[in-house]
Amino acid sequence: MCGIAAILSPDGPVPAQALRRATTALRHRGPDGEGTWIAPSGRAGLGHTLLAITDPEGQQPIASEDGRLHIIHNGQFYDYRRIRASLEARGHRFRTRSDSEIALHLYEDLGPECLERLRGQFAFVIWDEESGVLFAARDRFGLKPLFHAEKEGRLYLASEAKALVAAGIAPSWDSRGVYHALHACPDERLSLFHGISQVPPGHFLQADGSGVRLKRYWDLPLTPGRSRAARFRRAQHPAPTPDAAIERVRELTEESVALRMVAAVPVGCLLSGGLDSSAVLGVAASCTDEAVAAFTVGFERLDYDESTGAREAAAAAGGNHTVVTASDGDLADHFVDAVFHAETLQYNTHGAARYLLSRGVRDAGYKSVLAGEGADEAFFGYEFLRAAAGAARGSGAGALPRVLARLPRIAAALLRSPSRHQPGLAAASPWLARLALLLPAAPSLFTRLARGLGHIRAVCSRDFLDDFAGYDLYRAYYRRCRRTADLSRREPARRLLYLWLHSLFANYHLAADRLDMAHGVEVRLPFLDHHLFEYTNRLPVSLLAHHPREKHLLREAMRPYIPDPVYDRVKRPFMGPSAVGTDGPLHDFLQDTLRGEAVRAVPFLDHPAVARLLDRLPALPAEDRPSLDSLMLMLASVAVLQERYRL
C-alpha cells in the first residue's frame, strides 16, 4: 500500500513542483520512502510514497527491462509469486522483489488485458514513453482510490483528492456530488470537489494527446436468467447442494485469507467479535505458527461497545488482543482529522473510531491487517437484501396464487399519493416514493430514508434545491445502472446488491481506506476477493438468503474456525456512539462547529435553518434521533471540509 501521483502533459513539460507537492501530500500513505520521476520527453511525471510490505526496498517507479514503461502502484497483488514465476519463465527480468512489478510485465505482454490476470486491491499508473500513452486502472470493487482532474491541457491523477489540490487543482464544492452524498446516493464517478473525478471501480483510463478515455474491464457477472436457454444451462449444470456450497466457500475463504497473509512484515486482524472478522481471524491463525495480533475499537459507552465479544473470539484463535478504547472526547477531538482524511461526509462517529483504531494498529508496530468487510455483500447479510430476496420468492413457478393475493395491495398502493404518504421521499424522488408504496420490504427501509431526507432538505438552501428541481437522482441512478449493467436481467435482490455496491459501498464504506492510510496502515479484505465473490454470486439466492439466520452459508463454512458464542451471535452493525441526545464532548463539538463561521460560508446550506435545528435538539423526539444524528454529523463534515480545504 502506498500513495501515487501522476501528471500527463502532452504539449509541454510536466510541472515538477506540482508533482512534488502532490507526492508530499501523500506522505502519510507511504512513510517508508518518497520520490518523483519525470520522463525524458518531459510529457509525464510519476510520484510515489512507499509503505514497505512485501519489499523493504520497493521504491517506485519501476522500469521495464528496456526502460520504455514505468509503473507506480498502490495496493497489493495476491498470488504474485506464481505469476512472477510464469513471467520469469517467459524471459522477463525483475528489478525488485515487489508484487507491483508483475503488473508492469503483464502489461508489456497483454496491454489492458493484463487486468484479467491480476487478483487484489490496487490502483496503478503505467507510462509508455514510446507510444505516449498513460494507462491507469482501479481494482474491481474500488478498494483502492484513484482520483483524476484536468487543468490547462494536463491530466492529474492521485490516490487522494487532497494531492490534486496540492498540485494546483483549485478546490470548490461540486454541487452534483454534494447533492448525491446528502441524499445517501453518492456517485462512484464523482467526488465532493468540483473538477475532481474518480476512476470508477473495475475501470481503466487511457490518456494521450488526443484525450482521456475510461473503459470498464470488469463487472459483477450476470447469473443465469429465466429464459428457456437459461433453464437448459441450469439443468446441464445444476446448483451445488448446500453441503457442497459450504465446502467450496470454506475452501475459497481459506485460500483468500492465506494469500493475504503473505508479507515481509507481520499481518494482524481488525476484530469486532462478529462472525465476519472472527472468521477471518480464525482462518488467519491457522496459516501461521505465531499468535496473530487482533485489534478492536472499544467505546466507553457500553451500549456501543463490542470488546467483550471480541475478546472471546481472540482467545479462541489464540490471538494477541488489543482494545483501543475511544471516549466521546476522543471521537470529538479526532472527528475533524477523520473527515479531512476520508474526504467525504461522515454519517456516524464510526469514521472517527476507525481513524483511532488504525492509529492504535500503527502504534503497536503493525502496517498490515486483515478485516471482515465484504461478507455482508457476498453472503446477503443485510436485512434489505434478505427482504428483497424474500419478496422475490413468490415470483417463480407456482406463484400465481401469491401474486393474485397481492393484487389488492398493489392496486391500493397505486391509488395512494406518494407526496402525502412519503413526503420527504417524494420531494427528492417521486419515482422512489411510488416504489416505496409498492414494495413489500418498503416500510422500515423507506420510512427511515424518508425521515432523513426530510431533515436534510429542510437545512439546504432554496437556491441549491431549485438547481436540482425535476432531477430525480434515484431514478437517474437506477436507469444508468440498468443501461450499463443490464439490471433487468438480474434477480431483484441482486439488482439491489448491485446498486449498493456502486453507491454507498464504493463511496462511503470503502473510504475507510483513507482513514487507515492516514496512519500508514493497509487493510486487506479477504471476502472481497473476486474469485470468492464471483462464486457466491453464481449461487442461487435461496442458498444465501432464505435461511432464518443471516449468513447461514458463511456461518456453517466457518464453523471450524469460530467459537460457539460467535457462531450463535446475531449480526450487529458497527456504529459509533450517537452525538445527538446526550450532553458531553460530542454534543459540544456539534454546537461549536455548526454555529461557527465555516457553516455560514457553505453555499448550499440554509444557515438559519441549521441554527433552529440546533436549538431544537434538547427536545428532540426519540424516534427522530437516529436520522438527525446522521444529519448533524454530515453537516459537521461539511463544515470541516469547508474550512480545511478552503472551499
Side-chain angles (χ1 to χ4, degrees):
M1 300 292 179
C2 305
I4 59 174
I7 301 176
L8 174 65
S9 183
D11 300 322
V14 164
Q17 289 292 340
L19 180 62
R20 280 194 287 270
R21 289 195 304 270
T23 305
T24 299
L26 298 170
R27 189 172 287 165
H28 52 276
R29 296 185 69 93
D32 298 326
E34 179 181 330
T36 60
W37 171 86
I38 294 178
S41 65
R43 292 178 294 172
L46 306 177
H48 181 261
T49 62
L50 173 67
L51 181 65
I53 300 293
T54 59
D55 183 359
E57 299 178 356
Q59 283 77 15
Q60 299 182 25
I62 304 169
S64 59
E65 297 95 330
D66 59 5
R68 179 170 65 92
L69 303 178
H70 286 75
I71 187 172
I72 49 174
H73 167 229
N74 165 38
Q76 207 71 40
F77 297 123
Y78 304 116
D79 199 20
Y80 74 94
R81 290 172 176 168
R82 180 187 61 81
I83 297 172
R84 176 180 176 131
S86 69
L87 287 166
E88 288 176 327
R90 294 206 299 271
H92 284 285
R93 300 188 308 277
F94 280 71
R95 298 175 185 266
T96 73
R97 290 176 289 164
S98 171
D99 61 294
S100 302
E101 196 170 351
I102 65 168
L104 180 71
H105 298 303
L106 284 172
Y107 183 80
E108 276 189 282
D109 291 351
L110 302 171
E113 292 182 7
C114 71
L115 296 165
E116 297 175 11
R117 306 286 186 90
L118 295 172
R119 182 176 186 176
Q121 48 200 77
F122 55 82
F124 65 86
V125 177
I126 293 176
W127 167 247
D128 187 331
E129 177 75 347
E130 183 176 293
S131 68
V133 173
L134 183 143
F135 178 84
R138 190 178 179 197
D139 66 69
R140 294 166 178 83
F141 293 100
L143 306 180
K144 294 287 101 184
L146 187 58
F147 294 88
H148 62 101
E150 295 182 59
K151 178 185 177 183
E152 298 174 353
R154 297 187 178 104
L155 172 68
Y156 296 75
L157 299 101
S159 297
E160 299 182 7
K162 62 180 66 66
L164 299 181
V165 173
I169 304 299
S172 63
W173 290 107
D174 184 277
S175 59
R176 187 171 293 269
V178 168
Y179 188 79
H180 275 258
L182 288 174
H183 288 76
C185 187
D187 190 321
E188 64 183 350
R189 303 166 299 175
L190 304 177
S191 76
L192 296 177
F193 307 105
H194 179 69
I196 297 179
S197 303
Q198 299 185 72
V199 175
H203 282 68
F204 66 81
L205 175 152
Q206 285 180 307
D208 53 24
S210 65
V212 178
R213 300 166 295 281
L214 278 169
K215 185 174 181 180
R216 186 192 302 274
Y217 70 87
W218 183 88
D219 204 358
L220 196 60
L222 284 165
T223 52
R226 298 173 183 167
S227 66
R228 180 177 298 177
R231 290 197 297 271
F232 177 77
R233 286 195 298 272
R234 282 196 295 270
Q236 296 296 108
H237 304 282
T241 65
D243 286 345
I246 288 168
E247 182 62 29
R248 186 58 179 151
V249 164
R250 183 182 300 123
E251 292 171 354
L252 288 169
T253 303
E254 290 169 342
E255 177 187 71
S256 181
V257 171
L259 288 173
R260 285 158 178 78
M261 289 293 288
V262 175
V265 297
V267 179
C269 286
L270 300 185
L271 180 66
S272 70
L275 169 63
D276 310 337
S277 60
S278 298
V280 169
L281 174 61
V283 177
S286 73
C287 297
T288 176
D289 295 330
E290 304 293 328
V292 178
F295 300 90
T296 299
V297 64
F299 298 110
E300 284 188 343
R301 281 201 243 168
L302 296 182
D303 48 337
Y304 292 92
D305 185 69
E306 298 182 81
S307 59
T308 299
R311 286 190 187 93
E312 292 176 336
N320 293 328
H321 190 218
T322 299
V323 178
V324 178
T325 301
S327 67
D328 281 14
D330 294 327
L331 296 172
D333 289 344
H334 293 89
F335 186 86
V336 169
D337 286 336
V339 170
F340 170 75
H341 280 285
E343 302 173 338
T344 191
L345 307 185
Q346 296 290 313
Y347 304 150
N348 183 260
T349 57
H350 54 204
R354 180 67 171 253
Y355 178 85
L356 290 167
L357 176 60
S358 292
R359 187 183 69 175
V361 171
R362 180 204 64 191
D363 291 347
Y366 278 76
K367 297 179 179 181
S368 183
V369 288
L370 310 186
E373 283 97 326
D376 284 322
E377 286 72 22
F379 296 95
F380 280 49
Y382 294 117
E383 181 55 36
F384 66 85
L385 293 177
R386 291 169 58 78
R393 292 179 74 175
S395 60
L400 182 59
R402 290 188 292 273
V403 173
L404 292 174
R406 290 179 190 164
L407 286 179
R409 180 186 183 279
I410 294 171
L414 289 171
L415 295 174
R416 293 162 69 190
S417 167
S419 59
R420 191 174 74 186
H421 291 277
Q422 297 280 9
L425 198 54
S429 174
W431 173 79
L432 192 59
R434 175 66 69 188
L435 204 61
L437 298 177
L438 293 170
L439 292 180
S444 61
L445 175 65
F446 290 113
T447 299
R448 290 196 302 270
L449 179 61
R451 183 180 289 122
L453 291 181
H455 293 318
I456 288 166
R457 296 177 72 85
V459 297
C460 289
S461 71
R462 177 48 50 194
D463 288 345
F464 178 67
L465 294 177
D466 286 346
D467 286 343
F468 293 95
Y471 174 60
D472 190 325
L473 79 163
Y474 299 107
R475 187 178 191 183
Y477 174 54
Y478 184 84
R479 284 183 166 180
R480 177 167 64 84
C481 290
R482 185 178 64 184
R483 183 178 66 253
T484 60
D486 212 354
L487 281 187
S488 60
R489 293 177 58 197
R490 299 177 189 266
E491 297 168 274
R494 296 197 190 277
R495 291 180 206 171
L496 198 54
L497 173 62
Y498 188 94
L499 295 169
W500 168 258
L501 286 172
H502 290 269
S503 56
L504 274 171
F505 183 71
N507 291 276
Y508 184 70
H509 286 250
L510 296 185
D513 164 86
R514 298 192 284 284
L515 298 171
D516 302 320
M517 291 298 287
H519 303 292
V521 173
E522 69 154 19
V523 178
R524 303 176 171 191
L525 304 177
F527 290 120
L528 289 173
D529 182 279
H530 76 279
H531 290 201
L532 170 59
F533 208 99
E534 287 180 355
Y535 176 75
T536 64
N537 186 63
R538 292 194 299 270
L539 294 174
V541 169
S542 59
L543 276 178
L544 297 169
H546 292 170
H547 193 277
R549 185 168 48 187
E550 94 279 346
K551 289 184 287 194
H552 175 72
L553 187 64
L554 177 64
R555 201 176 296 269
E556 293 301 320
M558 294 293 99
R559 187 69 181 91
Y561 295 105
I562 56 177
D564 290 342
V566 171
Y567 178 81
D568 295 329
R569 193 163 291 150
V570 176
K571 174 179 170 57
R572 177 179 175 179
F574 172 52
M575 301 293 283
S578 168
V580 168
T582 58
D583 292 328
L586 285 169
H587 173 270
D588 295 343
F589 167 75
L590 286 181
Q591 292 286 342
D592 293 344
T593 301
L594 297 181
R595 295 186 191 275
E597 291 297 323
V599 170
R600 283 189 280 274
V602 176
F604 51 84
L605 291 183
D606 180 340
H607 316 117
V610 174
R612 289 193 297 271
L613 185 57
L614 288 168
D615 293 337
R616 287 174 42 215
L617 288 184
L620 193 68
E623 64 270 17
D624 281 342
R625 288 179 183 174
S627 57
L628 271 177
D629 188 63
S630 295
L631 171 63
M632 303 310 286
L633 290 168
M634 288 167 65
L635 295 178
S637 302
V638 167
V640 169
L641 294 171
Q642 176 72 40
E643 184 171 26
R644 291 291 295 268
Y645 285 89
R646 299 178 181 177
L647 300 169

